[in-house]
Structure formats: C-alpha cells, structure tokens
Amino acid sequence: DAMVIQNPRYQVTQFGKPVTLSCSQTLNHNVMYWYQQKSSQAPKLLFHYYDKDFNNEADTPDNFQSRRPNTSFCFLDIRSPGLGDAAMYLCATSRDNGDTEAFFGQGTRLTVV
Amino acid sequence: QQQVKQSPQSLIVQKGGISIINCAYENTAFDYFPWYQQFPGKGPALLIAIRPDVSEKKEGRFTISFNKSAKQFSLHIMDSQPGDSATYFCAAVSGGSNYKLTFGKGTLLTVNP
C-alpha cells in the first residue's frame, strides 16, 4: 500500500499560472520534505516541515511556497511557474530528524507550457 | 558546491557481473550514508545505508564499503540482474535537528541480459 501519495502524477500548467501539488502520508511521520528533480539530476531539497515548523533552503526561489495544514498533508504552491520549473517534484517523509529512512512518493511530473 | 560526488554517471554491466558505484564526500559532519534506488517514473527508495563506525555492510547482493579516512564509500552489486537496472543515488546526512539528504548526481545502471 502506498504510504506517501502524491497527486496528481502528471500536471500541465500554463506559464505564469499558479499551480498546487499535493502530498499525503499514512505514516504519521513528523517530517515532510519537498524535492525538485530535473531530468538526469539528483533530487534537490526545496524545503521541509518538522511538524509545523517550516524550514526553507537558502537557494529555494520565492516562487515556491508550501503549506502543511495537518500532519498528513503537505502542499507545494508554485506562484508563477516558469519554463525552468518543469521537473519532477518529490514529496518525502521521515519519522524524525536523524538517521531514519526517508520515504518518497512517486512524484508529480510538472510540465509548463 | 557539490558535497557528495558520485561516479560513474552511467554504467553498463552484463548479467551476473559486479556493479560498482563510488561516492566521495567533503563534509565531516555527515554521519549517515544511505543509497537510494530509483526506477523510471518512481520516487527513490532506500536500498541500504551505513554509518561511519562500520567499514562494510552487506544485505543480500548489495554491499556498502566505507572508508572514513578517505571520506569515500561505494556500493557493490554482486550477481547483477536486469531487474537491477535503475538509477542509484548515494546520499549523506548530517545528524542533529535538521535532517537533510544531500544526494550525489546519480548513476544510471544498465544490466544487459
């Protein structure tokens, strides 16, 4: 059974049109992460939540925002998508900070037209 | 600054052969080193992980070798199978309150039948 679920699997959006990607988890993990993965590249951490505490990476553009209304759900908002934002967006969770396994969802493939 | 360097970028191995992927890191604060396996269209999944107080860890056909003084670690896949064909990412984590996976750039492994 899927433990980290991302919706939709594929998203096409217009240049400059706001888009929201969603992630839900059934693991009751404290930490949720959003990664951006471009073709043939490593996943790049955008930000993460430890419970309700939001931690933004220094090089994450302001165009990217996130919300975590409760333990189970986390959203990635891209306010004005550009062509360079086309990528796979991966949500992940971990039980706690430390050397615990991170569980990834299947990702949302975002296309910007 | 790339904190985890991974090589080779791609690797082709015959069925039954040994696949070897190497990684090197710079940050001595890293204290947990997982390897993730990613199939096309899927999120990464934890394959095997090691802490620096151990020089080797084996799980089935997969072995991590760790050289703390050289700040290098490698993944060995014995008896490689076509089903092992995937992208492999090494990663590093520094402990404490801010769990973040720093990924290498990935190795695309192809195992020919």
Side-chain angles (χ1 to χ4, degrees):
Chain A
D1 292 333
M3 297 177 287
V4 182
I5 303 165
Q6 292 187 242
N7 284 302
R9 289 290 311 279
Y10 303 91
Q11 176 73 57
V12 180
T13 190
Q14 291 181 331
F15 182 93
K17 184 176 181 180
V19 64
T20 296
L21 310 181
S22 71
C23 177
S24 64
Q25 55 133 338
T26 61
L27 297 164
N28 203 32
H29 281 173
N30 293 329
V31 195
M32 295 187 76
Y33 310 83
W34 279 104
Y35 285 84
Q36 179 193 62
Q37 186 178 26
K38 295 188 175 181
S39 181
S40 302
Q41 296 186 21
K44 176 181 180 299
L45 182 64
L46 296 174
F47 25 58
H48 74 279
Y49 276 93
Y50 184 92
D51 285 337
K52 295 182 179 180
D53 293 334
F54 177 71
N55 297 272
N56 197 30
E57 292 301 296
D59 57 354
T60 298
D62 293 339
N63 197 27
F64 292 87
Q65 303 288 320
S66 185
R67 296 170 284 135
R68 190 179 185 186
N70 53 53
T71 300
S72 301
F73 286 88
C74 195
F75 300 97
L76 171 62
D77 300 309
I78 308 177
R79 294 191 297 186
S80 181
L83 298 178
D85 298 328
M88 174 78 84
Y89 289 87
L90 295 165
C91 174
T93 74
S94 65
R95 187 180 69 236
D96 207 334
N97 287 331
D99 60 348
T100 57
E101 178 178 356
F103 293 83
F104 284 82
Q106 291 194 333
T108 295
R109 171 72 65 186
L110 178 67
T111 300
V112 181
V113 297
Chain B
Q1 179 186 4
Q2 183 186 353
Q3 296 193 48
V4 181
K5 295 182 179 180
Q6 183 172 348
S7 62
Q9 188 173 2
S10 64
L11 179 62
I12 299 175
V13 174
Q14 292 298 119
K15 179 182 176 181
I18 301 174
S19 304
I20 302 174
I21 304 170
N22 299 301
C23 286
Y25 64 98
E26 300 167 359
N27 186 351
T28 55
F30 290 142
D31 60 3
Y32 179 62
F33 300 89
W35 284 88
Y36 280 80
Q37 179 188 56
Q38 186 177 28
F39 293 104
K42 300 290 181 69
L46 180 67
L47 185 64
I48 188 172
I50 197 168
R51 293 186 66 84
D53 54 350
V54 176
S55 61
E56 185 175 282
K57 183 174 182 179
K58 183 176 181 179
E59 290 184 0
R61 296 184 293 109
F62 301 91
T63 300
I64 301 178
S65 297
F66 191 88
N67 186 330
K68 186 175 181 179
S69 60
K71 293 187 285 186
Q72 296 175 347
F73 58 110
S74 61
L75 175 68
H76 296 233
I77 305 174
M78 311 300 287
D79 187 25
S80 298
Q81 300 296 312
D84 297 331
S85 298
T87 299
Y88 292 81
F89 293 97
C90 63
V93 180
S94 55
S97 62
N98 194 18
Y99 178 97
K100 294 193 295 186
L101 282 166
T102 300
F103 285 94
K105 288 192 172 183
T107 296
L108 177 61
L109 172 65
T110 302
V111 181
N112 289 327

